[in-house]
Amino acid sequence: SAVISQKPSRDICQRGTSLTIQCQVDSQVTMMFWYRQQPGQSLTLIATANQGSEATYESGFVIDKFPISRPNLTFSTLTVSNMSPEDSSIYLCSVQQELGVNYGYTFGSGTRLTVV
Amino acid sequence: QKEVEQNSGPLSVPEGAIASLNCTYSDRVSQSFFWYRQYSGKSPELIMSIYSNGDKEDGRFTAQLNKASQYVSLLIRDSQPSDSATYLCAVMGSTNAGKSTFGDGTTLTVKP
């Protein structure tokens, strides 16, 4: 199964600044998904990153706030721009793959972001 | 109404018992259903995926799907303290291009 390396694992940032999160997959994948998990809550999809085209954003998320790059089939970045305390959350990248008899997401280890 | 609803929890069972986790979904055209386990401070990990009505067994885990009732469940047999985690139900529609919608999760505690 694919292994996803995500960094940074955590960061504390000043409001108004930006943070770029990187995800590296050890195999080629068509789609990568970026999720947010706010404290005590479930996962919310931010956008789908496709290689060679613009990311597809979900309702409530916009490119100016969460620009995404997907330069090749193994790498993607998510930037959280002009941060406010409401952006404090865990950000996760994921890919779909076969896992034994199942098929579903594998997630990166997550980036725990605190905005002060 | 939420798209994916789970038992509010928390759920507590004694070691060796069967834990039953339930999930309902609102979109009738949903095609794929998933159970993820998330330990505190960790990322979710896939336990089961199921696509057809009926049961699917994998070790101590059994997923059950009833599309007519828009209901999916996860049974954990011979529960162990290491099963203590939050369990997330996720649903994917046929036209969702790989995107899953997650429930809020049910926290399970297995007491020794």
Side-chain angles (χ1 to χ4, degrees):
Chain A
S1 60
V3 175
I4 304 175
S5 300
Q6 183 174 345
K7 59 181 182 182
S9 58
R10 60 179 62 231
D11 207 342
I12 300 173
C13 300
Q14 297 291 323
R15 68 174 66 203
T17 63
S18 298
L19 176 72
T20 295
I21 302 166
Q22 299 180 7
C23 269
Q24 178 76 51
V25 188
D26 68 352
S27 59
Q28 294 184 338
V29 293
T30 304
M31 292 189 290
M32 292 180 71
F33 303 89
W34 287 96
Y35 280 87
R36 180 172 74 181
Q37 187 172 33
Q38 295 184 304
Q41 297 187 26
S42 191
L43 286 81
T44 301
L45 181 64
I46 298 171
T48 304
N50 301 301
Q51 195 271 334
S53 63
E54 284 195 5
T56 304
Y57 289 83
E58 298 302 303
S59 176
F61 298 96
V62 295
I63 187 171
D64 289 347
K65 176 66 175 177
F66 298 100
I68 287 173
S69 77
R70 186 79 200 275
N72 56 53
L73 291 173
T74 64
F75 186 79
S76 179
T77 67
L78 170 76
T79 299
V80 186
S81 303
N82 188 24
M83 289 184 285
S84 66
E86 291 71 35
D87 295 319
S88 297
S89 187
I90 298 172
Y91 292 84
L92 295 150
C93 61
S94 65
V95 301
Q96 279 188 302
Q97 62 176 325
E98 288 189 12
L99 297 163
V101 299
N102 298 299
Y103 185 85
Y105 285 143
T106 294
F107 287 90
S109 54
T111 297
R112 183 179 295 269
L113 170 63
T114 302
V115 183
V116 298
Chain B
Q1 181 188 6
K2 290 184 178 179
E3 291 184 59
V4 181
E5 295 206 48
Q6 298 185 236
N7 310 61
S8 58
L11 177 65
S12 180
V13 300
E15 184 174 356
I18 296 175
S20 177
L21 303 160
N22 303 314
C23 174
T24 58
Y25 58 94
S26 61
D27 188 352
R28 283 197 169 274
V29 300
S30 298
Q31 294 289 321
S32 306
F33 308 87
F34 310 89
W35 284 100
Y36 291 85
R37 176 176 63 198
Q38 186 173 27
Y39 292 114
S40 181
K42 301 294 187 182
S43 299
E45 54 181 332
L46 181 69
I47 298 175
M48 295 281 281
S49 57
I50 186 168
Y51 313 104
S52 303
N53 282 327
D55 295 358
K56 179 181 178 182
E57 186 175 318
D58 186 5
R60 295 186 296 111
F61 299 97
T62 299
Q64 299 175 318
L65 175 60
N66 184 326
K67 290 186 178 180
S69 300
Q70 295 176 237
Y71 175 90
V72 58
S73 66
L74 179 70
L75 301 178
I76 306 174
R77 291 182 301 280
D78 187 23
S79 296
Q80 301 297 310
S82 59
D83 295 326
S84 298
T86 296
Y87 289 80
L88 301 168
C89 173
V91 174
M92 185 187 304
S94 60
T95 57
N96 280 11
K99 300 181 292 186
S100 287
T101 300
F102 287 80
D104 289 341
T106 299
T107 298
L108 170 68
T109 300
V110 180
K111 296 186 175 181

